[in-house]
Amino acid sequence: MPIVVDIDVMLAKRKMSVGELADRVGITPANLAVLKNGRAKAVRFTTLAALCEVLDCQPGDLLRWEPDGPGDGNGTAQESGASVPAGSSPQ
């Protein structure tokens, strides 16, 4: 997936453990591990806001986009299955 989660980087900068962050944010360590290891399919804005508050950072410090590698078949949004309303054509 092209979204990379950099929670580990911020934890190291803040000298904070995963357990402490989970406690302060109000989520389980298991759910935080899913997020920080890039296995989450979604994150609530309330959780993202709490992470930013506790870590004193911006969302972009925790999440970044990296394009997929060449030739993997996941190029543009149209190629990856984005829908186009009926009766219209992609531009």
Side-chain angles (χ1 to χ4, degrees):
M1 176 154 46
I3 301 297
V4 178
V5 181
D6 287 328
I7 290 176
D8 284 336
V9 173
M10 291 307 297
L11 283 171
K13 286 181 179 180
R14 303 298 186 249
K15 297 181 173 137
M16 188 181 298
S17 70
V18 172
E20 180 183 352
L21 179 60
D23 286 343
R24 292 179 62 185
V25 169
I27 61 176
T28 66
N31 283 340
L32 182 57
V34 167
L35 180 59
K36 82 178 193 68
N37 293 326
R39 296 189 316 261
K41 298 294 181 197
V43 61
R44 293 175 190 237
F45 282 158
T46 54
T47 302
L48 183 58
L51 287 165
C52 290
E53 183 177 352
V54 170
L55 293 169
D56 189 28
C57 66
Q58 294 294 312
D61 296 326
L62 301 176
L63 304 172
R64 63 187 157 90
W65 177 80
E66 284 189 359
D68 289 330
D72 64 5
N74 290 327
T76 67
Q78 286 296 322
E79 293 170 353
S80 64
S83 63
V84 176
S88 63
S89 60
Q91 306 258 336

